[in-house]
Amino acid sequence: MNADTWLEDTRTSYDTVAVSYADQLREALGARPYLRAALTLFADLVRATGEGPVADVGCGPGHVTAHLHDLGLDAFGVDLSPAMIDVARRDHPHLRFQVGSMTDLDLPDASAAALLAFWSLIHVPDDAIPAVLGHFHRVLRPGGPLLVGFHTGDESVLKTQGYGGHPMRVHVHRRRPEQVAAWLGEAGFTVEAQWLLGLDERAPGAVLFARKT
């Protein structure tokens, strides 16, 4: 699969489901206390490092960006899907959102105090991960925190519909935390903590707390 194909499939799929996706996830954090705790800890780490803009990369409809803002962070969102950005701007008009790809992240070097990739790497193929993490490292300030959330496992599945039965074409990659940690280390991050989540669920997850070194 070449880069243009998976990026275009991802963009088209999320343009298609943007409104229904936002409707389903708008209150999702309310039922996820451990995810809220992870975001609260992330906010504490950002404040301890120093104030500044926090990039939510792969922000979707902006519900996590808004939660970070409510925690006191200067959060803004970036997403590949123009329709998702339209929904984010509609639902959160007081926040900043921009269309962009994490494979070619259009942010200045060392411009972000922190960065979040919350289940937004799950459609990125393995061979593109190093370049994406390289962009994360480039845009972060020295010592800046990074929080990465993802599905755990060993398989990749093709998702052909979702969020109300709309057609999609995206591969969902489930990864072992040690593999993601190894990629982060190779990209110049130090992994400081790992949380496993929903171990009894159909799609368990993990969050890794890392820092630019």
Side-chain angles (χ1 to χ4, degrees):
M1 182 187 304
N2 64 51
D4 290 339
T5 299
W6 74 262
L7 279 172
E8 186 57 37
D9 284 347
T10 302
R11 180 186 296 109
T12 300
S13 293
Y14 281 97
D15 279 349
T16 301
V17 304
V19 173
S20 56
Y21 183 96
D23 290 343
Q24 290 188 27
L25 269 71
R26 188 168 289 112
E27 306 299 330
L29 284 174
R32 297 282 184 171
Y34 296 106
L35 288 185
R36 295 199 311 276
L39 294 170
T40 298
L41 176 55
F42 177 65
D44 289 343
L45 294 172
V46 176
R47 282 189 288 269
T49 304
E51 299 295 332
V54 177
D56 179 7
V57 180
C59 66
H63 60 296
V64 175
T65 319
H67 188 78
L68 293 175
H69 174 79
D70 291 344
L71 291 172
L73 300 184
D74 178 20
F76 68 96
V78 180
D79 200 88
L80 180 66
S81 162
M84 281 289 190
I85 292 297
D86 287 344
V87 171
R89 289 170 175 165
R90 180 200 69 188
D91 288 354
H92 311 287
H94 57 297
L95 298 180
R96 294 173 288 136
F97 296 97
Q98 65 189 65
V99 177
S101 172
M102 63 179 68
T103 61
D104 188 20
L105 196 53
D106 188 19
L107 296 174
D109 295 359
S111 61
L115 192 147
L116 175 82
F118 226 43
W119 276 262
S120 57
L121 294 175
I122 61 173
H123 304 308
V124 180
D126 288 0
D127 60 3
I129 291 289
V132 168
L133 296 182
H135 280 293
F136 290 179
H137 191 271
R138 176 184 60 78
V139 305
L140 270 172
R141 297 174 184 171
L146 168 68
L147 183 60
V148 178
F150 52 96
H151 298 308
T152 58
D154 297 298
E155 63 179 348
S156 295
V157 298
L158 178 62
K159 186 180 182 73
T160 57
Q161 66 174 20
Y163 310 105
H166 297 286
M168 302 183 73
R169 182 176 174 79
V170 290
H171 284 86
V172 179
H173 305 290
R174 299 180 182 180
R175 295 172 168 128
R176 291 188 175 274
E178 56 267 30
Q179 175 62 77
V180 178
W183 281 328
L184 288 168
E186 292 164 2
F189 293 95
T190 298
V191 176
E192 298 182 335
Q194 168 188 303
W195 291 7
L196 300 179
L197 304 166
L199 299 182
D200 60 345
E201 296 179 359
R202 181 181 59 83
V207 292
L208 298 183
F209 295 84
R211 192 177 297 275
K212 177 176 176 176
T213 50

Short mmCIF file of all heavy atoms in Angstrom, two decimals, residues 102-126:
data_model
loop_
_atom_site.label_atom_id
_atom_site.label_comp_id
_atom_site.label_asym_id
_atom_site.label_seq_id
_atom_site.Cartn_x
_atom_site.Cartn_y
_atom_site.Cartn_z
N MET A 102 -0.29 14.13 9.56
CA MET A 102 0.83 13.86 10.45
C MET A 102 2.04 13.32 9.69
O MET A 102 3.15 13.28 10.23
CB MET A 102 0.41 12.88 11.55
CG MET A 102 0.00 11.51 11.07
SD MET A 102 -0.44 10.43 12.47
CE MET A 102 -1.95 11.19 13.07
N THR A 103 1.86 12.92 8.44
CA THR A 103 2.99 12.46 7.64
C THR A 103 3.80 13.63 7.08
O THR A 103 4.92 13.42 6.58
CB THR A 103 2.51 11.59 6.47
OG1 THR A 103 1.64 12.36 5.62
CG2 THR A 103 1.75 10.37 6.97
N ASP A 104 3.25 14.83 7.14
CA ASP A 104 3.94 16.02 6.67
C ASP A 104 3.43 17.19 7.50
O ASP A 104 2.78 18.11 6.99
CB ASP A 104 3.68 16.25 5.17
CG ASP A 104 4.51 17.37 4.59
OD1 ASP A 104 5.54 17.72 5.19
OD2 ASP A 104 4.13 17.91 3.54
N LEU A 105 3.71 17.14 8.79
CA LEU A 105 3.07 18.01 9.77
C LEU A 105 3.51 19.46 9.56
O LEU A 105 4.69 19.80 9.72
CB LEU A 105 3.42 17.52 11.17
CG LEU A 105 2.58 18.03 12.34
CD1 LEU A 105 1.09 17.78 12.11
CD2 LEU A 105 3.04 17.34 13.63
N ASP A 106 2.55 20.30 9.22
CA ASP A 106 2.84 21.69 8.87
C ASP A 106 2.82 22.57 10.12
O ASP A 106 1.97 23.44 10.28
CB ASP A 106 1.82 22.18 7.84
CG ASP A 106 2.18 23.56 7.29
OD1 ASP A 106 3.35 23.96 7.41
OD2 ASP A 106 1.28 24.23 6.74
N LEU A 107 3.80 22.31 11.00
CA LEU A 107 3.98 23.11 12.20
C LEU A 107 5.47 23.45 12.30
O LEU A 107 6.32 22.62 11.96
CB LEU A 107 3.54 22.34 13.45
CG LEU A 107 2.06 21.98 13.55
CD1 LEU A 107 1.81 21.09 14.77
CD2 LEU A 107 1.20 23.24 13.64
N PRO A 108 5.81 24.63 12.79
CA PRO A 108 7.22 25.00 12.87
C PRO A 108 7.99 24.13 13.87
O PRO A 108 7.42 23.56 14.80
CB PRO A 108 7.18 26.47 13.35
CG PRO A 108 5.80 26.94 13.01
CD PRO A 108 4.92 25.75 13.15
N ASP A 109 9.29 24.05 13.66
CA ASP A 109 10.15 23.31 14.57
C ASP A 109 10.04 23.88 15.99
O ASP A 109 10.00 25.10 16.19
CB ASP A 109 11.61 23.40 14.13
CG ASP A 109 11.87 22.73 12.79
OD1 ASP A 109 10.92 22.17 12.21
OD2 ASP A 109 13.03 22.78 12.33
N ALA A 110 9.98 22.98 16.97
CA ALA A 110 9.99 23.34 18.40
C ALA A 110 8.89 24.35 18.74
O ALA A 110 9.05 25.19 19.61
CB ALA A 110 11.35 23.88 18.80
N SER A 111 7.74 24.24 18.06
CA SER A 111 6.66 25.20 18.29
C SER A 111 5.62 24.73 19.29
O SER A 111 4.82 25.53 19.77
CB SER A 111 5.96 25.51 16.96
OG SER A 111 5.38 24.33 16.40
N ALA A 112 5.61 23.43 19.62
CA ALA A 112 4.59 22.87 20.51
C ALA A 112 5.20 22.55 21.87
O ALA A 112 6.27 21.94 21.96
CB ALA A 112 3.99 21.61 19.90
N ALA A 113 4.49 22.95 22.92
CA ALA A 113 4.92 22.59 24.27
C ALA A 113 4.67 21.12 24.56
O ALA A 113 5.36 20.52 25.38
CB ALA A 113 4.18 23.46 25.29
N ALA A 114 3.67 20.54 23.90
CA ALA A 114 3.32 19.13 24.09
C ALA A 114 2.52 18.67 22.88
O ALA A 114 2.02 19.49 22.10
CB ALA A 114 2.52 18.93 25.38
N LEU A 115 2.39 17.36 22.77
CA LEU A 115 1.68 16.79 21.62
C LEU A 115 0.93 15.54 22.05
O LEU A 115 1.43 14.75 22.84
CB LEU A 115 2.66 16.48 20.49
CG LEU A 115 2.09 16.15 19.11
CD1 LEU A 115 3.02 16.64 18.01
CD2 LEU A 115 1.87 14.65 18.95
N LEU A 116 -0.27 15.39 21.51
CA LEU A 116 -1.14 14.26 21.79
C LEU A 116 -1.49 13.57 20.49
O LEU A 116 -1.83 14.22 19.50
CB LEU A 116 -2.42 14.76 22.46
CG LEU A 116 -3.53 13.74 22.73
CD1 LEU A 116 -3.25 12.99 24.01
CD2 LEU A 116 -4.89 14.44 22.81
N ALA A 117 -1.38 12.24 20.47
CA ALA A 117 -1.84 11.42 19.34
C ALA A 117 -2.72 10.33 19.93
O ALA A 117 -2.26 9.24 20.26
CB ALA A 117 -0.66 10.83 18.57
N PHE A 118 -4.00 10.64 20.07
CA PHE A 118 -4.94 9.80 20.82
C PHE A 118 -5.71 8.93 19.84
O PHE A 118 -6.68 9.36 19.24
CB PHE A 118 -5.88 10.71 21.61
CG PHE A 118 -6.08 10.29 23.03
CD1 PHE A 118 -5.02 9.86 23.81
CD2 PHE A 118 -7.33 10.35 23.63
CE1 PHE A 118 -5.19 9.49 25.13
CE2 PHE A 118 -7.53 9.98 24.94
CZ PHE A 118 -6.45 9.55 25.70
N TRP A 119 -5.26 7.69 19.68
CA TRP A 119 -5.86 6.75 18.75
C TRP A 119 -5.87 7.29 17.32
O TRP A 119 -6.74 6.97 16.53
CB TRP A 119 -7.26 6.34 19.22
CG TRP A 119 -7.21 5.23 20.23
CD1 TRP A 119 -7.38 3.90 20.00
CD2 TRP A 119 -6.93 5.35 21.63
NE1 TRP A 119 -7.21 3.17 21.16
CE2 TRP A 119 -6.94 4.05 22.18
CE3 TRP A 119 -6.66 6.42 22.47
CZ2 TRP A 119 -6.70 3.79 23.52
CZ3 TRP A 119 -6.42 6.17 23.81
CH2 TRP A 119 -6.45 4.88 24.32
N SER A 120 -4.87 8.10 17.00
CA SER A 120 -4.78 8.65 15.65
C SER A 120 -3.67 8.01 14.83
O SER A 120 -3.56 8.30 13.63
CB SER A 120 -4.59 10.17 15.70
OG SER A 120 -3.44 10.53 16.45
N LEU A 121 -2.85 7.15 15.44
CA LEU A 121 -1.83 6.41 14.69
C LEU A 121 -2.35 5.07 14.19
O LEU A 121 -1.63 4.36 13.51
CB LEU A 121 -0.60 6.16 15.57
CG LEU A 121 0.22 7.37 15.99
CD1 LEU A 121 1.32 6.95 16.96
CD2 LEU A 121 0.82 8.07 14.79
N ILE A 122 -3.58 4.73 14.50
CA ILE A 122 -4.06 3.37 14.27
C ILE A 122 -4.25 3.05 12.79
O ILE A 122 -4.32 1.87 12.42
CB ILE A 122 -5.37 3.09 15.02
CG1 ILE A 122 -6.49 4.02 14.56
CG2 ILE A 122 -5.16 3.20 16.53
CD1 ILE A 122 -7.86 3.68 15.14
N HIS A 123 -4.32 4.07 11.93
CA HIS A 123 -4.45 3.82 10.49
C HIS A 123 -3.13 4.01 9.74
O HIS A 123 -3.09 3.82 8.52
CB HIS A 123 -5.52 4.74 9.89
CG HIS A 123 -6.85 4.62 10.54
ND1 HIS A 123 -7.48 3.41 10.72
CD2 HIS A 123 -7.67 5.57 11.07
CE1 HIS A 123 -8.65 3.62 11.34
NE2 HIS A 123 -8.78 4.91 11.56
N VAL A 124 -2.08 4.36 10.46
CA VAL A 124 -0.78 4.61 9.82
C VAL A 124 -0.03 3.28 9.69
O VAL A 124 0.19 2.60 10.70
CB VAL A 124 0.05 5.60 10.65
CG1 VAL A 124 1.40 5.85 9.97
CG2 VAL A 124 -0.71 6.90 10.86
N PRO A 125 0.37 2.89 8.50
CA PRO A 125 1.10 1.63 8.35
C PRO A 125 2.46 1.68 9.03
O PRO A 125 3.03 2.75 9.25
CB PRO A 125 1.24 1.47 6.83
CG PRO A 125 1.04 2.83 6.27
CD PRO A 125 0.14 3.56 7.20
N ASP A 126 2.97 0.49 9.37
CA ASP A 126 4.22 0.40 10.12
C ASP A 126 5.35 1.18 9.46
O ASP A 126 6.13 1.85 10.15
CB ASP A 126 4.66 -1.06 10.27
CG ASP A 126 3.80 -1.85 11.25
OD1 ASP A 126 2.86 -1.26 11.83
OD2 ASP A 126 4.08 -3.05 11.44
#
